[in-house]
Amino acid sequence: MDETVAEYIRRTILRIPRDEIKTMLHKWGFLSEMQLQNINFHQIKENISQDVVQLCEENSADIKQAAVLDIIYNHIYPNKRVWSVYQMNKTGEETDFFDLKDFKKKFKRLLRSALKNVTINFREYEDNAIWIRIAWGTPYTKPNQYKTSYVVYHSQTPYVFISASVLKSNLPLLCQALLVASNYSDIREMELRSHSLNSLKDIVFKRYSQNFQTYYPTPLQERNVTPESADIRIIQENKNERERIQRVNREVFGDGPQPKLEFAQYKLETMFKSDPKMDVLDKREPFRCLVKFSSPHLLESLKYLAPAGMADAPLSPLLTCIPRKARNYFRIREKKGFFPGSFVSP
Amino acid sequence: GVFAHLEMLEARAHEAAVKQEEMEQQEEKLARLRARVEELRLQRDELRAKVDLQEKGQLGKEGVVSKPAQPSARAVLEWKIKSIKAMLEVFYLTGISGKLTKQGVCFCISTAYEGTYLDSYYLDLLTKPEVQIYRHSVPVFIPLQQIAKKYLQTDIRRFLSVLYDHLNAYVGRRYQAEQLQEHFSDQIEGTVQRNSLCNLLVFNYNVSCKSRTFPFNVRLLYGDLCCSLPTEVVISCTPNAPASLAETAAAHSDLFRRVALHRVFGFFSSAEGSVD
C-alpha cells in the first residue's frame, strides 16, 4: 500500500470523534467484521488509527477506497465546510430522464480529458443526493488529497452545492463538467453561502416552513396557554401589542425551524441623504458601506428580534426576504422610487 | 393591443376570484342560516315545554321539571364547527382548495394515489398587477416555471389542472417505487435505482427457466410526466439466456406497461416462467 494512502487514511481517522469511528468504519465496509472486532476502540485515537492503517495494509487499500472514507466523513459532518449554491439553466423543454450511470460517465470523461491527474469519487444517497469528491492535481503533480472539492447534486434539479477548495482555478472546469453531465446549458453562482448544507437545500428546494394561508386545517396546535403568572394581580399592559407582534412574526417566519445561515451581508451603494444646505460631501457620489449580520443561527435570531422588543414588527423586508429570494448577499443601489432595493443578481 | 389584452386577462382573473369569494360567502351564509334555524327550533321546543307546564298547572313535590335543553349557544357553536370541518374536508378531498389572501389567492394541492393521501403542496399567488407566483412549496424538479409560462397568465384553471396532474403523477410514481422496494425487496436484486422525478426506474430481478435462474434488467421510462405508468419498458437479459426467455421478457414488459409497478410481481406466477 502506498505511503501517501496510509498517511491519508491515518489522518482521516484522526478527524473522526473517537465514539464515531466504529460506525464510520462499518459504513465504509472496507474492513471485514472480523477485522473490526479486533480493533480496540477504547484506546487513544492515535493508536486506533495505527491499527486501522495496519488492517488497510493487509487489504491493500488504494486511494479510491480511502477517498470513500473521506466522503462518508464529509457526508456526516458537512457543516465543517462552507458551501456555495450554483444555479443552472437549460434552454430545452424536453423531459429529462436522468440516468446516473450516464451522468457519472460524462462527468468523469470531461474532467479527465482536461486534467490527467485528478481523483474522482461518487457516492449516492437515499434522498437522490449525489456526492462527488474531486482531488485536483496538475499536469505534473499527483492529485492533492488534502485539498478536495465536494459537489452535491440532486438529479433533475437546477441547483448544485459546491464546497470548493483553495484551488479556484479549477472551478470553471468543474462547472463545465457539471453542465455536460447534467444536460444544462449555463451555470452561475448564487449569492447564497453557508456552513449548513441542509439549510441551503431547504432554502432552494423550498423545504422550509412557509406559512401558507389555507383552509385545510393543519390541526391548530394547542398553543401553550401557560398562565402568564399564577398571580392574577400581575397584568400585561401591552398584551395587544405583543399579540400583534406574535401574529406578524408567524406570518413572516412560519411556525417551523428556520434554515441555518451564519450571516447576511448588505453592500450599500446609496447616496448620502442630507439636508441640501449642509453639503457634507463635496462630490455627489454614492456612500459605500458594508453591513454584515453574523450569528450562529441568523434567521432564528431575526425571528426573535421583535418578540424580544429589540426591533419593530414587521421587520424590514430586506431581512425577511432571505429564504424566499434564496440569497444572503445583497447589493443595494440607488433606485428611483420609494424602495431603495435593487436585488441585483450579478 | 397588448395592454388591452393584459387588461382583459386581469379582469378575468379578478372575476374568477370574485366569483369564488361569492360562492364562499354564499356557503357561509347558508351555514349561518342553518345554525339559526337550529337555534330557533330549540327555542321553540323550550317555549313549548314551558307552555305545557303552564297548562298542566303547578307540579307537586314529585314532578321535577326537567330543565329544557342546555343553553343552545354552545350546541349551536359545536354544530357550526362540525359542519365547517366537514366542508373543509370536502375541499381537501377534491384535491385543490384555495383561499383568498390580501394580495391574491393561496392554493393547496393535495395529492393522492389510489386512495392513499400523500403530500400537499402550496402556491401563493398574487393577482395584481398580473397573476404571478409569490411563493410556493412545489418540489424543484417539477417544471413549475415551464407550466406557469404557458398557462398562468391566460388560464389559471388549466395551470392548476396541469400542475395537479404533474404532482399527482409524481407522487404516484414515487409511491409505486417505494411500495415495490418495501414489499418485494426479496425478489429484487439490490435496490430500485431512481431519480428525483421517479421517471426513470432501473432494477434487476431473477427469472427461472428450466431450473436455472437468469437476471433480468428492467428500465422503466416515464415519458409523460403526467402519467404514473411507464411509456417505455426495456428488459434485457444476459447473452447466454435461452431463446424462450424472450417471450417471457415480452410478457413481463407488457405487464410493466399496463399494471402499476408494485402490483406487477403479483402477476408473475400466472405469466410464463416463474420469478424466484
Side-chain angles (χ1 to χ4, degrees):
Chain A
M1 188 168 78
D2 200 331
E3 271 294 308
T4 51
V5 175
E7 180 63 12
Y8 184 69
I9 295 179
R10 192 186 71 84
R11 291 219 209 164
T12 309
I13 302 282
L14 285 177
R15 280 152 75 196
I16 310 173
R18 195 174 63 162
D19 300 328
E20 302 293 320
I21 298 181
K22 186 164 183 197
T23 349
M24 233 177 268
L25 290 177
H26 251 293
K27 281 208 175 88
W28 189 31
F30 179 67
L31 300 176
S32 69
E33 273 302 314
M34 273 247 305
Q35 288 174 310
L36 283 179
Q37 281 181 11
N38 288 339
I39 305 177
N40 173 12
F41 289 101
H42 296 295
Q43 50 185 337
I44 56 170
K45 273 209 278 193
E46 276 72 20
N47 295 350
I48 300 180
S49 62
Q50 293 290 6
D51 287 352
V52 172
V53 170
Q54 183 74 23
L55 291 169
C56 291
E57 180 88 50
E58 287 173 25
N59 291 11
S60 319
D62 66 15
I63 192 58
K64 283 230 165 257
Q65 276 114 4
V68 172
L69 184 60
D70 188 40
I71 299 188
I72 294 174
Y73 172 79
N74 277 283
H75 179 254
I76 298 182
Y77 299 103
N79 299 353
K80 298 220 182 277
R81 295 179 154 254
V82 176
W83 298 87
S84 306
V85 190
Y86 287 71
Q87 185 174 19
M88 300 191 286
N89 249 329
K90 73 157 85 177
T91 41
E93 282 196 3
E94 337 76 50
T95 315
D96 178 36
F97 299 100
F98 182 88
D99 190 335
L100 186 61
K101 265 208 202 101
D102 209 35
F103 174 83
K104 296 203 280 202
K105 201 169 72 173
K106 286 189 183 150
F107 185 85
K108 277 197 281 213
R109 189 170 45 194
L110 191 100
L111 273 192
R112 294 236 166 89
S113 68
L115 208 57
K116 295 284 179 300
N117 287 321
V118 62
T119 316
I120 309 171
N121 286 78
F122 297 88
R123 197 168 166 89
E124 302 84 53
Y125 288 91
E126 281 275 304
D127 56 349
N128 292 313
I130 304 163
W131 278 64
I132 314 176
R133 173 189 182 276
I134 304 137
W136 306 93
T138 69
Y140 315 104
T141 61
K142 279 184 21 176
N144 183 345
Q145 301 298 335
Y146 297 93
K147 295 247 164 72
T148 49
S149 299
Y150 270 90
V151 176
V152 177
Y153 179 60
H154 285 246
S155 54
Q156 295 163 320
T157 64
Y159 299 104
V160 190
F161 306 90
I162 302 184
S163 172
S165 54
V166 193
L167 303 165
K168 286 277 164 67
S169 55
N170 288 312
L171 206 51
L173 182 60
L174 177 58
C175 289
Q176 206 190 345
L178 283 166
L179 287 176
V180 165
S182 60
N183 209 9
Y184 278 84
S185 50
D186 59 87
I187 183 170
R188 67 172 184 98
E189 186 175 358
M190 291 173 72
E191 301 287 332
L192 185 62
R193 257 157 246 135
S194 173
H195 278 278
S196 171
L197 175 62
N198 283 331
S199 292
L200 291 175
K201 285 192 195 183
D202 285 346
I203 292 176
V204 294
F205 294 160
K206 310 247 183 261
R207 302 190 306 207
Y208 62 97
S209 83
Q210 306 179 67
N211 219 15
F212 290 103
Q213 301 183 51
T214 57
Y215 281 121
Y216 188 65
T218 34
L220 267 180
Q221 272 112 2
E222 286 294 322
R223 252 171 290 164
N224 287 349
V225 187
T226 45
E228 294 289 348
S229 61
D231 193 341
I232 51 167
R233 292 172 300 177
I234 300 175
I235 49 175
Q236 287 289 342
E237 271 305 317
N238 52 352
K239 184 160 146 202
N240 285 340
E241 178 61 10
R242 279 180 36 145
E243 281 174 5
R244 183 192 75 90
I245 293 179
Q246 294 280 11
R247 195 175 28 90
V248 167
N249 236 31
R250 271 184 94 187
E251 270 172 29
V252 170
F253 289 98
D255 288 324
Q258 302 295 309
K260 194 164 186 214
L261 296 172
E262 295 89 44
F263 44 82
Q265 186 174 295
Y266 300 83
K267 221 183 217 176
L268 281 89
E269 291 164 14
T270 49
M271 303 294 276
F272 186 71
K273 290 181 172 53
S274 70
D275 190 334
K277 289 198 216 112
M278 286 174 48
D279 244 343
V280 177
L281 295 173
D282 286 336
K283 297 181 270 192
R284 296 284 296 164
E285 67 173 37
F287 198 66
R288 284 164 225 277
C289 164
L290 187 78
V291 180
K292 185 169 175 176
F293 295 88
S294 331
S295 162
H297 199 326
L298 181 70
L299 294 177
E300 278 293 328
S301 33
L302 289 178
K303 182 173 168 181
Y304 286 102
L305 273 182
M310 287 193 251
D312 291 329
L315 286 179
S316 160
L318 280 171
L319 293 169
T320 57
C321 72
I322 292 174
R324 187 170 53 88
K325 297 248 173 197
R327 61 188 302 167
N328 57 352
Y329 285 79
F330 296 84
R331 209 177 299 149
I332 303 177
R333 297 212 192 95
E334 203 58 55
K335 194 173 181 190
K336 310 280 185 290
F338 63 97
F339 190 62
S342 76
F343 303 146
V344 168
S345 47
Chain B
V2 175
F3 286 107
H5 193 62
L6 283 173
E7 272 183 345
M8 179 192 71
L9 294 173
E10 192 195 349
R12 254 198 234 167
H14 178 72
E15 258 176 57
V18 164
K19 267 202 197 115
Q20 182 168 16
E21 189 173 28
E22 264 177 35
M23 205 178 71
E24 282 167 357
Q25 278 179 350
Q26 290 273 43
E27 280 161 344
E28 237 181 313
K29 194 170 167 196
L30 192 59
R32 258 182 294 142
L33 288 173
R34 283 212 180 106
R36 182 86 182 119
V37 164
E38 223 15 59
E39 209 178 335
L40 290 170
R41 280 200 183 125
L42 283 168
Q43 266 188 24
R44 175 200 64 188
D45 291 343
E46 244 178 284
L47 290 169
R48 265 197 194 147
K50 275 198 188 149
V51 166
D52 282 350
L53 286 177
Q54 288 274 25
E55 284 179 357
K56 287 197 185 115
Q58 295 304 321
L59 290 161
K61 286 175 286 188
E62 267 307 311
V64 179
V65 176
S66 59
K67 242 191 156 320
Q70 277 297 332
S72 48
R74 187 189 166 84
V76 166
L77 189 62
E78 283 178 1
W79 184 90
K80 258 197 205 168
I81 292 177
K82 206 166 105 179
S83 100
I84 289 182
K85 274 196 180 154
M87 187 99 66
L88 296 180
E89 186 80 18
V90 168
F91 283 147
Y92 171 62
L93 291 174
T94 58
I96 306 185
S97 58
K99 177 176 194 224
L100 289 176
T101 61
K102 269 183 290 189
Q103 323 119 295
V105 60
C106 183
F107 288 103
C108 169
I109 297 184
S110 307
T111 58
Y113 179 72
E114 292 188 342
T116 308
Y117 273 86
L118 299 164
D119 302 330
S120 291
Y121 304 100
Y122 300 89
L123 275 161
D124 213 345
L125 300 179
L126 302 173
T127 43
K128 290 185 178 14
E130 50 176 18
V131 186
Q132 45 181 295
I133 303 176
Y134 178 62
R135 52 180 190 164
H136 66 87
S137 68
V138 174
V140 69
F141 40 80
I142 301 280
L144 178 62
Q145 294 306 329
Q146 261 180 47
I147 304 173
K149 205 159 78 157
K150 271 203 196 132
Y151 305 113
L152 187 61
Q153 302 295 321
T154 49
D155 189 344
I156 280 196
R157 255 204 206 111
R158 184 116 182 250
F159 165 76
L160 287 173
S161 160
V162 171
L163 183 60
Y164 177 82
D165 289 341
H166 272 84
L167 290 170
N168 270 284
Y170 157 67
V171 299
R173 294 190 297 266
R174 188 185 65 189
Y175 181 79
Q176 290 174 64
E178 286 168 354
Q179 291 294 303
L180 178 68
Q181 185 76 64
E182 201 182 302
H183 297 294
F184 295 96
S185 50
D186 51 337
Q187 300 194 36
I188 297 183
E189 294 284 315
T191 54
V192 177
Q193 190 199 101
R194 41 184 172 136
N195 53 24
S196 298
L197 268 171
C198 293
N199 69 344
L200 170 63
L201 301 175
V202 182
F203 58 95
N204 298 308
Y205 63 100
N206 286 324
V207 174
S208 70
C209 177
K210 300 189 183 71
S211 70
R212 285 170 65 200
T213 58
F214 296 92
F216 269 12
N217 172 274
V218 187
R219 280 170 71 90
L220 301 172
L221 288 97
Y222 298 77
D224 183 357
L225 287 182
C226 295
C227 191
S228 57
L229 282 175
T231 49
E232 195 184 322
V233 177
V234 179
I235 300 188
S236 50
C237 34
T238 51
N240 64 343
S244 57
L245 273 191
E247 267 184 52
T248 317
H252 287 193
S253 175
D254 185 57
L255 268 176
F256 279 118
R257 225 183 311 250
R258 289 186 298 114
V259 176
L261 182 59
H262 57 306
R263 287 203 286 270
V264 171
F265 280 81
F267 281 79
F268 277 167
S269 39
S270 46
E272 292 199 16
S274 60
V275 176
D276 261 347

